[in-house]
Amino acid sequence: MRDRVDEVSRRRFLLTAGVAAATVYGCRLSFAADVDPLLAGRQLVRYPEKTDLILLTARPPQLETPLSYFDRAITPNDAFFVRYHIFPIPTSVDLDQWRLEVKGHVDKPLSLSMDDLKRFPPASVTAVVQCSGNSRGRFAPRVLGGQWGDGAMGNAVWTGARLQDVLKAAGARASALDVTFDGLDKPAFPSVPDFVKALDLQRIMSDPDVIVAYEMNGQRLPMLNGFPARLVVPGWYATYWVKNLSEITVLTDRFEKFWMKPGYRIPDTPCGCVEPGTAPKNTVPITRMTVRSFIASPASGTRVAVNQPVALKGIAFDGGYGIREVQVSDNLGLTWSRATLGPDHGRYSFREWSATWRPTGAGNARLMVRAVNGIGESQGYEPLWNPAGYLRNVIEQIALVVD
Amino acid sequence: MRLLTAAVALTLVVTSAGVAGETVSITLPPESIALDAGRGMDQTQTSCRMCHSLDYITTQPGGGTAQWQGVVTKMMKVYGAPISDQDAKLIEEYLATHYGPR
């Protein structure tokens, strides 16, 4: 499972990691006991309808899911991450009053109640929603923006009306180009850009998995995850998954307001990256998620016993091609062994994986995980960099202490 | 780690329409972050809190004057934060002093 390019990249990784090549091929590396410096000072908080989550910011609220929840495919609603851009956010919604307006370049504008929305044939999709800037706090050089650890992601079964059915019912005109989505969150000042996102109409009409979801894991949505309805755009970053949805507008032109441009853009290069510390020449909107995988159990820093099997568990996901393989390494990538994949919940879902590792000697061990998706894309030894801190998908690792 | 709690109020009004009639209300917990004391703290607190909590400052990578000038300028020019030039300078100095390179 090694190739030349991979090996060159791995050796560079070893050098930059400050590990002398001669000492790596055991599990006896020397490094400090594992403390995540990024999350060390953060509070655990309990918000309405939520369990204990890691506080990034209070207003607008940004809450991160602890890594321990990623040992399973489905993320519980109460542990699901929260990310708003502007404030005030909705804190009370009366379904008798709430309507989803569908307007603009349509033959028949709609004002849908929740009952109306539920009359469309229900569709379900299991899909990962991940913040574009998940793991931004780990960028080097550091970049400004929400300093997330790795918990701005989650996976749920989303149920709702297909967006294409809603747009067909409204008679969206074929000459339209973009469709915009606005929620009940509103700016503090008129000068602050409202959070509005756009999708290409053709993209919507060719993708039956894009839905207006009113259920998450069989329950109504928590308020902070978008009650009463949110957009679900499987495979694409969370920025498009507009919460507390209230307005859908069909446009005859391209929508390029603040949160589409200059917001949420990546370098227009094949990797979406540039030389660290430099600015891209051209940018394009961020869209599809990169391949990632995590070891959620045991937690980094756990003490384990020599010669006793250790059960490794975690998840892998990508932007919609599905996970083909997950591999783990206990020798900094010299060799990789295949993990066992859990049930397949569809190509947009977290894929659970498990593996058994038996430490052969006492000391510090480092375990790495990487995934390969359905079209052969994988993860690198060295992180890619861009100025907004998006698309992170470097090979992740944990440290274990073997006694 | 400290644990904050907040009440959640869920009101269910049963009607014949099934899902219709449900009102969901939540109460957000108070903000608890305080800034380091120093010259310019009052202006910083007042200006920044118009739009967001102060953890937007404290969680950022520490930066020098150039970084914080960039941030304050962005808040004024891009988001239209009503901050006087005089206060802006004070805020930039305060942030670079107390939330500088760490």
Side-chain angles (χ1 to χ4, degrees):
Chain A
M1 287 189 211
R2 291 165 67 194
D3 58 49
R4 265 178 73 88
V5 175
D6 199 49
E7 183 56 20
V8 170
S9 159
R10 193 184 71 89
R11 284 175 186 277
R12 277 217 326 244
F13 153 76
L14 294 176
L15 289 172
T16 53
V19 181
T23 65
V24 291
Y25 302 136
C27 306
R28 294 166 183 277
L29 305 168
S30 167
F31 46 87
D34 196 68
V35 176
D36 185 342
L38 182 67
L39 300 181
R42 305 261 168 95
Q43 292 178 11
L44 273 185
V45 291
R46 188 171 292 183
Y47 270 53
E49 306 179 87
K50 292 282 155 190
T51 187
D52 295 351
L53 298 177
I54 301 164
L55 176 69
L56 177 58
T57 62
R59 174 172 58 95
Q62 301 191 90
L63 311 172
E64 169 164 352
T65 305
L67 203 61
S68 58
Y69 285 97
F70 302 114
D71 64 348
R72 69 205 87 164
I74 300 296
T75 315
N77 288 4
D78 65 355
F80 226 87
F81 83 100
V82 172
R83 193 272 191 263
Y84 280 93
H85 300 76
I86 53 177
F87 197 91
I89 62 168
T91 54
S92 184
V93 174
D94 175 357
L95 281 187
D96 279 343
Q97 305 295 318
W98 176 83
R99 292 293 181 272
L100 176 58
E101 307 289 337
V102 186
K103 57 199 178 67
H105 202 53
V106 297
D107 292 331
K108 189 184 149 203
L110 302 174
S111 179
L112 302 171
S113 67
M114 182 52 77
D115 281 350
D116 296 334
L117 197 58
K118 289 189 171 176
R119 276 189 208 105
F120 288 96
S124 288
V125 60
T126 306
V128 177
V129 55
Q130 182 190 208
C131 179
S132 307
N134 193 25
S135 314
R136 180 185 286 118
R138 310 201 185 285
F139 270 58
R142 298 283 297 266
V143 295
L144 294 173
Q147 301 297 305
W148 294 106
D150 306 310
M153 60 178 186
N155 186 49
V157 183
W158 308 94
T159 302
R162 288 190 179 89
L163 181 57
Q164 53 182 222
D165 290 348
V166 174
L167 289 176
K168 274 180 209 157
R173 293 174 192 156
S175 55
L177 286 181
D178 271 352
V179 182
T180 62
F181 304 88
D182 193 4
L184 297 170
D185 48 342
K186 292 295 163 214
F189 287 99
S191 56
V192 176
D194 191 9
F195 186 73
V196 181
K197 294 295 293 189
L199 290 175
D200 177 279
L201 178 65
Q202 295 312 313
R203 190 234 178 284
I204 297 166
M205 299 316 272
S206 62
D207 187 350
D209 289 322
V210 177
I211 61 178
V212 178
Y214 43 73
E215 270 186 22
M216 177 177 174
N217 294 329
Q219 309 282 316
R220 66 161 176 80
L221 304 180
M223 179 69 77
L224 295 172
N225 294 114
F227 181 82
R230 80 178 298 174
L231 198 62
V232 166
V233 189
W236 282 24
Y237 281 99
T239 181
Y240 295 98
W241 299 46
V242 174
K243 296 184 293 300
N244 315 107
L245 190 62
S246 58
E247 276 182 41
I248 298 176
T249 309
V250 181
L251 301 178
T252 53
D253 52 5
R254 291 291 173 208
F255 179 83
E256 291 196 326
K257 291 204 179 154
F258 185 77
W259 300 101
M260 292 297 293
K261 189 178 185 181
Y264 283 107
R265 297 179 78 90
I266 55 171
D268 187 11
T269 58
C271 60
C273 63
V274 289
E275 249 337 277
T278 66
K281 273 201 207 87
N282 297 302
T283 62
V284 291
I286 193 169
T287 56
R288 191 169 291 282
M289 294 187 288
T290 50
V291 185
R292 301 196 77 175
S293 55
F294 290 90
I295 303 171
S297 178
S300 199
T302 300
R303 303 189 86 91
V304 297
V306 69
N307 288 323
Q308 295 300 306
V310 179
L312 307 176
K313 282 166 73 178
I315 52 93
F317 66 100
D318 79 318
Y321 295 99
I323 293 302
R324 180 194 290 168
E325 195 171 316
V326 173
Q327 305 163 356
V328 293
S329 174
D330 66 356
N331 52 21
L332 297 182
L334 181 68
T335 57
W336 291 88
S337 54
R338 245 182 229 215
T340 304
L341 297 182
D344 184 357
H345 300 287
R347 61 197 174 105
Y348 296 114
S349 172
F350 277 161
R351 190 76 186 260
E352 243 175 77
W353 64 264
S354 61
T356 303
W357 177 65
R358 191 182 288 270
T360 53
N364 294 314
R366 195 182 292 202
L367 295 172
M368 302 166 81
V369 62
R370 72 178 179 189
V372 182
N373 75 356
I375 57 167
E377 293 170 341
S378 188
Q379 303 175 249
Y381 288 98
E382 294 171 280
L384 306 177
W385 193 93
N386 54 63
Y390 294 151
L391 306 174
R392 189 171 173 92
N393 81 327
V394 69
I395 291 171
E396 302 288 342
Q397 47 186 292
I398 61 165
L400 296 178
V401 182
V402 183
D403 294 317
Chain B
M1 285 194 266
R2 214 144 52 84
L3 194 69
L4 299 179
T5 55
V8 50
L10 301 177
T11 315
L12 266 172
V13 183
V14 181
T15 73
S16 58
V19 294
E22 186 181 4
T23 298
V24 176
S25 300
I26 62 169
T27 305
L28 294 174
E31 299 165 32
S32 59
I33 293 286
L35 293 182
D36 293 350
R39 184 173 174 268
M41 185 198 75
D42 287 347
Q43 288 81 355
T44 303
Q45 229 163 235
T46 306
S47 296
C48 301
R49 291 198 71 226
M50 286 189 289
C51 287
H52 60 78
S53 51
L54 299 172
D55 33 30
Y56 270 75
I57 296 169
T58 57
T59 56
Q60 288 308 305
T65 311
Q67 169 183 307
W68 289 117
Q69 270 175 356
V71 170
V72 173
T73 302
K74 181 180 178 186
M75 295 303 151
M76 293 166 67
K77 300 277 191 273
V78 178
Y79 298 107
I83 304 172
S84 70
D85 289 346
Q86 191 188 339
D87 278 358
K89 197 160 184 312
L90 205 55
I91 293 166
E92 289 159 9
E93 284 169 5
Y94 168 80
L95 292 173
T97 303
H98 295 272
Y99 299 93
R102 308 187 263 264

